[in-house]
Amino acid sequence: MFRQAFARRRCIIPADGFYEWQRIDPKTKQPMFIHFPDDRIFGFAGVWERWQPPGEAEPLDTCTIITTKPNVLMSSVHDRMPAILMPEDYTAWLSRETDAREAAALLNPYPDGELEAVPVDRLVNSPKNDVPECVKALA
C-alpha cells in the first residue's frame, strides 16, 4: 500500500512525545506519555501521499507514522512503537538517493534507556482536551 510513498515520499514528523495505552486488566487501559526526560524534539519516520477524494476539487496531502518493533521500555506498554529516527539519519531518510532497502535499515527500535513512559490522566482519551495536563505525570 505504501510502497511508492516509501520509495519516493518519505518525511519526518516532529514531536516531543507520544501516547500509548498500557493494558492494566481486560477492561482497563492506562494512557502513557512517552518522551525524552529533557522534553527535546525528535523525528518520527513517516511517509506522505497525495490523493484525490471523491467529489473534491482539491487533492489532499496525508501522512502516516511508520512503526517498528518495540524497545525494552515500549515492550512493557505495547507490541510496537513509532520509528524514531536518529538525528544523524535525517538526511539519508529524506534523500531520494537512499533506496528502500537502505531506508528500511533506519527503522529500528529507539535505543533503550533514553525514553521514559509516565502514566497520565485519561483526559488524553479525547482530542478535545489539548491542555498541559495531558502530559503531566500522575502522582
Side-chain angles (χ1 to χ4, degrees):
M1 180 178 199
F2 294 106
R3 184 173 300 188
Q4 283 294 335
F6 192 83
R8 308 277 304 160
R9 292 180 296 281
R10 294 186 295 264
C11 63
I12 297 173
I13 301 166
D16 63 358
F18 62 97
Y19 299 102
E20 196 55 77
W21 284 256
Q22 183 176 42
R23 184 163 300 285
I24 304 300
D25 60 48
K27 294 184 178 183
T28 309
K29 289 184 178 181
Q30 173 62 55
M32 305 292 284
F33 179 59
I34 297 93
H35 66 118
F36 286 102
D38 64 2
D39 294 319
R40 72 181 178 264
I41 302 292
F42 55 88
F44 292 130
V47 295
W48 66 273
E49 191 65 74
R50 177 170 289 149
W51 63 284
Q52 184 72 45
E56 294 288 328
E58 294 294 319
L60 183 63
D61 291 331
T62 62
C63 67
T64 190
I65 295 168
I66 298 173
T67 60
T68 188
K69 58 188 176 184
N71 62 15
V72 171
L73 172 72
M74 285 303 300
S75 67
S76 68
V77 177
H78 204 277
D79 63 353
R80 67 179 184 275
M81 69 181 295
I84 300 171
L85 295 166
M86 302 300 285
E88 59 269 21
D89 294 333
Y90 289 175
T91 300
W93 176 254
L94 294 174
S95 174
R96 288 189 175 183
E97 301 300 316
T98 304
D99 68 29
R101 183 180 38 78
E102 294 168 319
L106 303 175
L107 303 175
N108 299 304
Y110 203 80
D112 293 319
E114 294 194 42
L115 297 167
E116 71 176 3
V118 296
V120 293
D121 195 284
R122 285 185 173 80
L123 72 109
V124 304
N125 291 345
S126 171
K128 293 178 184 178
N129 299 323
D130 188 11
V131 294
E133 290 78 16
C134 289
V135 296
K136 184 177 179 191
L138 293 176

